[in-house]
């Protein structure tokens, strides 16, 4: 019964944790070697120690063949295309970093990032006036006694029509909170992995290779290459090709973004992510730096630590007409 219990525990672990990566496990119970092959969901018992090596060799060869066909183990690659023609024009193949574009598809992290981005931008400006803030109502409407009516001190009381609000909405109110750096970083890797796995990641050599700046050309390219209705173009910095800007400015579903503004919500909102080769290298460099940096990802930023810097940032300004405002 103990062996059966351990076997089912290992099967449970395989289903929920080891589904994407076939592994092996060797367990010694009462001088018998139980070799679990998770790629076939099989179990074999070996009595002698000498035959363990032979069995493990067979399992390793089987696992190597599984790994060769596993898209989450093989180093990812992508075509580099050109925008000089309407049809697909592949010019090169670029290797992608597996730590970024082969991240485990954690949809919970992606959901937390998108929910955070949708919440922190909300701002409620509604402010309902209380009894003391309402205009008028200074005179007592009727005497306190001998009228048979309720005791009232002002017609702006909350129980009157056109009166003030008791416990009303007191804006401005914000739902801002800061998501941990590790969650934001992993969520971005998950979004990039999903786009590449769904073949919705397009890498171009340069956006300046467009023939002209007409919106008909960029529409024809998107339709011919099956980019979908909405496209997000990502450039290395804020200096974007003039042809691309003029071609997409009249198309509401085509947007341009620098690489430092890339986020999970924008990636998942658009059907296709088109990124330049230089922007891809810069994006990988920044993500890898934060993934493996030595300092903690949960760094606290306190106002008192940067207060002096903020207050003195305009000390070197000599413009008397437009003085810096802090």
């Amino acid at each position: 019964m103990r062996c059966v219990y351990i076997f089912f525990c290992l099967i449970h672990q395989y289903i929920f944790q080891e589904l994407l990566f076939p592994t092996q496990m060797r367990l010694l119970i009462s001088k018998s070697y139980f070799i679990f092959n998770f790629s076939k969901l099989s179990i074999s018992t070996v009595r002698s120690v000498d035959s363990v090596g032979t069995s493990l060799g067979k399992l390793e060869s089987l696992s190597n063949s599984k790994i060769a066909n596993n898209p989450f183990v093989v180093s990812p690659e992508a075509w580099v295309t050109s925008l000089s023609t309407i049809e697909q024009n592949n010019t090169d193949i670029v290797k992608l970093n597996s730590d970024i574009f082969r991240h485990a598809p954690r949809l919970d992290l992606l959901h937390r990032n998108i929910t955070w981005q949708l919440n922190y931008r909300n701002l409620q400006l509604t402010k309902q006036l209380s009894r003391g803030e309402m205009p008028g109502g200074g005179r007592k409407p009727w005497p306190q006694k001998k009228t048979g009516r309720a005791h009232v001190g002002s017609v702006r009381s909350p129980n009157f029509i056109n009166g003030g609000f008791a416990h009303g909405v007191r804006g401005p109110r914000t739902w801002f909170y800061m998501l941990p750096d590790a969650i934001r970083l992993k969520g971005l890797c998950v979004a990039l992995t999903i786009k590449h796995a769904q073949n919705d990641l397009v890498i171009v050599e340069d956006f300046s290779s467009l023939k002209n700046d007409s919106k008909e050309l960029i529409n024809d390219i998107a339709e011919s290459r099956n980019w979908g209705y909405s496209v997000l173009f990502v450039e290395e910095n804020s200096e974007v090709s003039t042809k691309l800007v003029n071609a997409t400015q009249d198309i509401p579903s085509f947007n341009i973004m620098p690489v430092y503004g890339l986020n999970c919500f924008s990636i998942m909102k658009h059907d296709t992510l088109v990124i330049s080769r230089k922007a891809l290298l810069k994006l990988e460099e920044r993500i890898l730096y934060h993934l493996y940096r030595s300092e903690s990802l949960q760094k606290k930023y306190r106002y008192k630590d940067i207060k002096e810097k903020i207050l003195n940032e305009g000390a070197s300004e000599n413009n008397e007409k437009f003085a810096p405002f802090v």
Side-chain angles (χ1 to χ4, degrees), residues 206-225:
D206 194 1
F207 289 123
S208 60
S209 59
L210 284 170
K211 288 185 177 180
N212 52 60
D213 56 355
S214 63
K215 70 175 184 179
E216 290 79 11
L217 176 63
I218 198 70
N219 268 327
D220 293 341
I221 292 177
E223 184 177 357
S224 174
R225 304 185 184 188

Side-chain angles (χ1 to χ4, degrees), residues 172-195:
R173 179 190 175 189
T174 178
W175 285 265
F176 176 81
Y177 65 96
M178 203 62 192
L179 203 63
D181 292 354
I183 304 299
R184 287 184 286 158
L185 190 62
K186 292 179 181 179
L188 184 60
C189 294
V190 170
L192 293 172
T193 300
I194 291 175
K195 281 297 179 183

